Amino acid sequence: MLYYAVIFFIVAIVAAVLGFGGIAAGAASIAKILFVVFLILAVLSLVKGMSKK
């Protein structure tokens, strides 16, 4: 999940440098969503792992 967030972030940077504002904004928003999903899943995994004691 984090891998795809980084890929979309790199696509957004390249698109912004080349002047494609709409594509850059779309890729950046997808990267944000994927990063938030990654954080939620990481926290849930951490909590579940700690409760197995």
Side-chain angles (χ1 to χ4, degrees), residues 2-19:
L2 186 60
Y3 174 77
Y4 291 118
V6 171
I7 293 298
F8 275 104
F9 181 68
I10 291 171
V11 168
I13 290 174
V14 170
V17 168
L18 295 177

Side-chain angles (χ1 to χ4, degrees), residues 12-44:
I13 290 174
V14 170
V17 168
L18 295 177
F20 298 109
I23 296 172
S29 65
I30 292 172
K32 283 185 209 177
I33 292 169
L34 289 175
F35 185 70
V36 169
V37 170
F38 164 75
L39 285 178
I40 291 170
L41 292 176
V43 168
L44 289 176

